[in-house]
Amino acid sequence: GEDVEQSLFLSVREGDSSVINCTYTDSSSTYLYWYKQEPGAGLQLLTYIFSNMDMKQDQRLTVLLNKKDKHLSLRIADTQTGDSAIYFCAANYGGSQGNLIFGKGTKLSVKP
Amino acid sequence: EAGVAQSPRYKIIEKRQSVAFWCNPISGHATLYWYQQILGQGPKLLIQFQNNGVVDDSQLPKDRFSAERLKGVDSTLKIQPAKLEDSAVYLCASRPAGIGGAITAGELFFGEGSRLTVL
């Protein structure tokens, strides 16, 4: 069945760039998303990319999509301690509006 | 604009007891979702409503879980009887309907979740 996989942990120093990677299996996924979850909070959409795009930049965030390899990455420039959170990759599937499969999440730790 | 409201935030019950969670989506959002997030995992879709009709409940354990969305606004998710493996955060999310049902990039707005612990 459909699946989304991502590495579980990433640790960086404040000011460095963070790169979180994700792979997905459903080639029909139209949109791919990055959500952020802080402790005790719900998920917050960070950014998304349409499947016919290779790259999307939004301030400190850069999303790269390799559709051939079904690989998605999120780069956070100048990572701050406030960026510490769990980041979820998600892909829509099955052609249904808004049904998302989520990865297990990557816990980003930013050290001062 | 008020966000997605969920209650209770925390609930502790013993196995075989029942529990109900409530969700009030953002006003005007036609689509409502319930997700289950087990510790250390990503959210998993349980059920999707479009207005007051069920669109997808293929992953809902129907022998113990039920959900309804009367009048197409608020929704309740019930578990009866609860099992230990039901310990999780239950997330409600909503989004406005896409034009003509087309797939859109429309953001899912999540509530803060209801954390269930089954002892």
Side-chain angles (χ1 to χ4, degrees):
Chain A
E2 299 86 0
D3 196 17
V4 174
E5 294 198 358
Q6 45 184 133
S7 52
L8 296 182
F9 301 99
L10 177 64
S11 180
V12 301
R13 292 225 172 261
E14 192 173 20
D16 289 349
S17 292
S18 307
V19 179
I20 302 172
N21 295 299
C22 167
T23 58
Y24 60 99
T25 59
D26 189 354
S27 58
S28 68
S29 292
T30 313
Y31 289 95
L32 297 128
Y33 305 81
W34 285 104
Y35 278 83
K36 177 182 180 182
Q37 187 176 39
E38 297 186 28
L43 279 72
Q44 177 189 11
L45 180 68
L46 277 181
T47 187
Y48 65 89
I49 188 168
F50 188 49
S51 59
N52 68 352
M53 297 170 64
D54 297 324
M55 185 182 82
K56 181 178 180 181
Q57 188 151 4
D58 184 1
Q59 298 182 336
R60 292 191 298 122
L61 305 178
T62 302
V63 178
L64 295 178
L65 175 61
N66 182 328
K67 194 174 180 182
K68 174 176 171 291
D69 294 338
K70 301 190 190 72
H71 182 268
L72 183 73
S73 68
L74 173 70
R75 178 176 180 269
I76 305 173
D78 186 25
T79 313
Q80 303 297 307
T81 54
D83 295 323
S84 294
I86 300 177
Y87 292 80
F88 290 93
C89 172
N92 79 298
Y93 72 95
S96 299
Q97 183 186 24
N99 283 3
L100 301 184
I101 287 186
F102 287 84
K104 291 185 177 181
T106 300
K107 184 173 183 178
L108 174 64
S109 297
V110 183
K111 299 178 180 178
Chain B
E1 180 183 72
V4 176
Q6 292 189 244
S7 68
R9 287 292 314 276
Y10 305 93
K11 189 73 177 179
I12 300 174
I13 61 173
E14 295 188 348
K15 60 183 179 183
R16 290 188 289 274
Q17 287 187 321
S18 62
V19 62
F21 301 112
W22 173 82
C23 172
N24 180 231
I26 292 173
S27 178
H29 281 196
T31 310
L32 183 148
Y33 309 80
W34 283 101
Y35 284 85
Q36 180 193 55
Q37 186 179 17
I38 293 173
L39 186 64
Q41 297 185 21
K44 184 186 83 170
L45 179 71
L46 290 175
I47 189 166
Q48 176 190 356
F49 292 94
Q50 182 78 7
N51 298 309
N52 62 348
V54 175
V55 173
D56 183 354
D57 64 356
S58 57
Q59 297 189 80
L60 187 73
K62 297 180 186 65
D63 58 335
R64 298 182 299 104
F65 285 65
S66 64
E68 61 182 9
R69 191 184 183 197
L70 300 176
K71 301 180 182 177
V73 181
D74 295 3
S75 177
T76 56
L77 175 70
K78 296 179 182 178
I79 307 173
Q80 181 180 16
K83 291 185 175 181
L84 296 177
E85 59 261 36
D86 298 332
S87 293
V89 176
Y90 291 86
L91 295 165
C92 180
S94 71
R95 70 185 290 180
I99 297 172
I103 295 175
T104 69
E107 176 180 355
L108 267 69
F109 293 83
F110 283 86
E112 292 184 321
S114 294
R115 182 179 296 276
L116 173 65
T117 302
V118 182
L119 303 176

